[in-house]
Amino acid sequence: DPRFYSEALRRLGLAGEESRCIFFDDVQENIVSARTVGLTAVLVLSPQMVRAGLVAAGVALPVGDLLAHADEV
């Protein structure tokens, strides 16, 4: 339900800042709902997909970030 995301943004003081937020989930239905309210939403099934989603969104990650080696854990 998209109202969940709108309410969460309101409670976090981020209403109106949806385009600056990134939402990650492993359930496609949740991704669709989050996008409905204007969030950048990324379907992820592994730590590597989180890293790729952050990079695609333009987030600068440190060279030695933890997700770079998540497959070694």
Side-chain angles (χ1 to χ4, degrees), residues 2 4 54:
F4 169 81
L54 288 168

Side-chain angles (χ1 to χ4, degrees), residues 4-5 22-35 40-46 49-50:
F4 169 81
Y5 302 98
I22 305 172
F23 174 75
F24 295 93
D25 205 317
D26 63 345
V27 178
Q28 182 64 36
E29 180 181 347
N30 295 341
I31 296 299
V32 171
S33 291
R35 287 179 178 163
T40 297
V42 180
L43 181 68
V44 295
L45 303 174
S46 71
M49 292 175 80
V50 173

